[in-house]
Amino acid sequence: MLGSHFNTIIIGAGISGLSSAYFLSKKNKDFLIFESSKYLGGTIKSKKIKNFICEIGPNTVLMNNDSVKKIIKENGLLNKVLYPDEKKNKNRYVLVNNNLTKIPTSFYEFLFSKILSLKSKISLLFESFASRHTKNVTVADFIKKRFGNEFHDNIIEPFLTGIYAGDTSKMSARHCLKLLWSLEQNYGSVTMGLFKKKFKKPSSFNFPNGLGELITTLSVNLKEEIRLNTSVIKISKHGDLYKIKTNDNRTYTCKNVISTVPAFTLSKILFDRKLSLELKNIDYSPIDVFHFGLKKKNIRDKVNGFGLLTKKNDKKSFLGILFNSSIFNQLAPKGFELFTVLVGGQRNRNLCKLEPKLLQEIILNELNQLINHSGPVYMSNHYRWKKGIPQYNLKYDYIEDHIKSFLDKNTNFYINSNFYRGISVSDCISKSEFISKKINRN
């Protein structure tokens, strides 16, 4: 059945799709958004359970680029933005001898911190003497060469676990350590680069009812353009136009395509067989997300901070724990604390195959010991992402070249997904504005 012609068709109604539509709509609304599920938001899912605000996907967004600031301000959300308790937000923890240990945030704290040995602290002074890399390497190789094994194992590995849930012995330094890689390449040394450039740490934020408020707000003025429960099953190219076939047996034509779906989805519907095969090589880490609402009076070891990240040597079943209500007290009812526990990733992907109740028992036991909690669990929730976070591994250089080649050959086809040019929500919003401006100029 023949559909209609549109200037632009957006595939996927997550944050990338909806923000692309928002920026496009500033000039025209000659577009459609196809979403395969009955829900909007993609990986952004906020759920209210017993007055706890639980984030199934991203827990915060960084206010680190103009596109994010615009979309918040122009949609009347500026007065709803919740910033974390600044003092507590600075407290990020790792485990040292199974004890919560704060990552130092000042030179004085660093000197007396138990995270690194004296030998490792002294070796950091010689980072500027390490030679510049002439080709891309793994994160593990990059950090160990410049800062030493201990710095990698105790600081970098836990930190990147919280972002990618990946394996640093496979991850691409150029893609996963963009800032450090850039400083080394431009200044010959990360340390020298940090001295010469001034950096302002961006704020993270949320909303009173979770990040889902952003999704709801963006969708209000896009109701006519959104098609829920509509999967794209084939994309083909005919001259300068693209044909989009959907699961209701309709075929649409358009000048521009913005694909915001995961690599494994795009690979099944794309007309370019070569790129489809490459996209299948992008690995996604599985993630199990647990939420626990606990009574404050039953927690003996109070925690004040953003969260805890673990490393392989800690031998924990979880990757990290977010102390949600510590930095955003609005996320839990009075007298309670909210914890989000992340499990799986490249390190423990087999745990994501366990029966959820059994896995919850294991995780809860480790959490109880860590914070010295006794008593019943007031609220619990679980969600399993079978394919959660795309991995920017060393072979990604090769895949990225194929993506660039495809986009060069196929004018007006755009990829705005977290497997290409940035994994964070703020990255995706920034890419949305860039792409939309380009389309609106044509």
Side-chain angles (χ1 to χ4, degrees):
M1 188 184 296
L2 188 65
S4 305
H5 177 81
F6 291 86
N7 184 61
T8 304
I9 285 180
I10 301 169
I11 307 173
I15 186 60
S16 295
L18 293 176
S19 56
S20 293
Y22 169 73
F23 287 118
L24 275 178
S25 68
K26 289 187 171 188
K27 190 168 183 180
N28 70 75
K29 277 199 168 185
D30 188 13
F31 59 80
L32 274 186
I33 311 168
F34 293 131
E35 169 54 47
S36 62
S37 75
K38 61 181 180 179
Y39 301 109
L40 300 172
T43 58
I44 293 182
K45 300 176 187 289
S46 303
K47 195 174 180 182
K48 192 170 186 177
I49 309 169
K50 293 184 176 180
N51 290 321
F52 292 89
I53 306 298
C54 302
E55 297 289 1
I56 309 300
N59 276 260
T60 58
V61 177
L62 286 174
M63 192 80 79
N64 64 347
N65 63 58
D66 289 339
S67 302
V68 174
K69 293 171 186 175
K70 282 180 191 175
I71 215 163
I72 296 299
K73 186 177 180 181
E74 293 171 3
N75 283 279
L77 290 170
L78 205 56
N79 63 338
K80 290 187 175 182
V81 169
L82 295 179
Y83 292 105
D85 181 305
E86 197 161 330
K87 200 171 182 180
K88 294 178 181 178
N89 193 43
K90 290 179 181 177
N91 297 336
R92 315 284 172 111
Y93 296 92
V94 292
L95 289 176
V96 176
N97 298 323
N98 209 37
N99 294 313
L100 282 169
T101 305
K102 182 176 174 289
I103 296 174
T105 55
S106 69
F107 182 70
Y108 180 80
E109 286 182 358
F110 174 75
L111 285 177
F112 294 96
S113 173
K114 295 179 180 179
I115 292 177
L116 297 179
S117 65
L118 179 61
K119 182 181 176 181
S120 290
K121 291 173 184 176
I122 293 172
S123 70
L124 297 179
L125 300 173
F126 298 94
E127 185 273 333
S128 59
F129 294 100
S131 59
R132 182 192 281 115
H133 287 89
T134 56
K135 64 177 184 178
N136 194 14
V137 295
T138 66
V139 165
D141 287 341
F142 181 89
I143 295 297
K144 288 177 181 180
K145 174 183 175 179
R146 305 209 69 86
F147 299 100
N149 291 0
E150 210 174 300
F151 188 86
H152 166 268
D153 295 347
N154 295 356
I155 296 178
I156 296 298
E157 184 187 323
F159 175 74
L160 289 182
T161 291
I163 301 173
Y164 295 94
D167 180 347
T168 58
S169 68
K170 297 178 182 178
M171 293 162 65
S172 160
R174 188 166 70 84
H175 296 94
C176 301
L177 296 172
K178 287 182 183 178
L179 174 59
L180 302 190
W181 179 266
S182 174
L183 291 175
E184 188 221 49
Q185 294 296 300
N186 292 328
Y187 298 97
S189 158
V190 174
T191 308
M192 291 298 293
L194 289 171
F195 273 118
K196 291 182 179 182
K197 289 197 75 172
K198 291 182 179 179
F199 298 97
K200 186 180 179 182
K201 189 178 178 182
S203 298
S204 59
F205 68 90
N206 204 312
F207 298 101
N209 291 304
L211 294 178
E213 283 197 54
L214 176 58
I215 300 302
T216 302
T217 302
L218 288 174
S219 65
V220 167
N221 296 318
L222 297 170
K223 289 179 180 177
E224 297 300 316
E225 289 74 34
I226 295 171
R227 302 288 185 272
L228 294 175
N229 298 307
T230 306
S231 301
V232 172
I233 59 173
K234 186 179 180 182
I235 307 170
S236 55
K237 190 177 181 183
H238 299 267
D240 293 331
L241 296 177
Y242 296 96
K243 280 190 176 180
I244 309 293
K245 188 176 181 181
T246 55
N247 61 337
D248 56 0
N249 203 30
R250 291 178 179 271
T251 301
Y252 300 80
T253 60
C254 61
K255 179 184 176 183
N256 305 287
V257 174
I258 303 177
S259 173
T260 71
V261 294
F264 54 84
T265 300
L266 182 58
S267 69
K268 296 174 185 176
I269 60 177
L270 195 60
F271 55 86
D272 188 295
R273 186 173 179 273
K274 196 173 182 181
L275 182 57
S276 291
L277 291 173
E278 291 303 326
L279 292 177
K280 289 177 182 178
N281 290 325
I282 297 178
D283 188 22
Y284 279 71
S285 290
I287 297 289
D288 272 39
V289 183
F290 289 93
H291 300 100
F292 298 110
L294 309 176
K295 286 186 177 181
K296 286 184 178 181
K297 67 179 184 180
N298 293 335
I299 302 171
R300 291 181 184 175
D301 296 341
K302 308 298 181 186
V303 286
N304 290 309
F306 182 86
L308 161 72
L309 292 168
T310 64
K311 55 189 179 295
K312 193 185 303 180
N313 293 341
D314 294 328
K315 294 181 170 51
K316 294 295 182 185
S317 301
F318 60 86
L319 298 174
I321 303 173
L322 298 174
F323 310 144
N324 305 93
S325 53
S326 175
I327 58 169
F328 294 109
N329 58 27
Q330 301 91 338
L331 301 182
K334 192 175 180 180
F336 291 89
E337 296 283 10
L338 173 63
F339 298 89
T340 300
V341 186
L342 307 175
V343 184
Q346 294 294 307
R347 189 199 305 166
N348 294 321
R349 64 187 312 146
N350 286 334
L351 289 178
C352 295
K353 296 176 183 178
L354 292 180
E355 198 275 323
K357 284 187 178 179
L358 173 60
L359 184 55
Q360 178 169 312
E361 283 181 24
I362 296 170
I363 298 305
L364 192 55
N365 181 53
E366 291 185 1
L367 175 63
N368 285 338
Q369 289 181 34
L370 198 68
I371 61 175
N372 205 351
H373 170 262
S374 60
V377 175
Y378 181 76
M379 183 280 299
S380 65
N381 181 58
H382 168 260
Y383 191 90
R384 175 163 287 171
W385 296 98
K386 292 181 180 179
K387 293 185 176 182
I389 304 174
Q391 297 302 293
Y392 286 70
N393 288 337
L394 199 56
K395 63 184 178 181
Y396 185 81
D397 275 327
Y398 184 73
I399 298 170
E400 187 178 46
D401 287 342
H402 276 79
I403 296 173
K404 288 177 180 176
S405 176
F406 168 81
L407 295 176
D408 287 341
K409 290 176 186 175
N410 297 282
T411 311
N412 302 327
F413 195 109
Y414 303 93
I415 294 176
N416 182 12
S417 186
N418 66 353
F419 69 83
Y420 184 57
R421 292 190 170 175
I423 198 171
S424 71
V425 173
S426 58
D427 286 333
C428 292
I429 293 173
S430 179
K431 289 182 286 183
S432 295
E433 184 177 28
F434 176 81
I435 291 169
S436 300
K437 279 183 175 179
K438 198 171 180 181
I439 291 173
N440 283 337
R441 279 196 300 264
N442 296 337

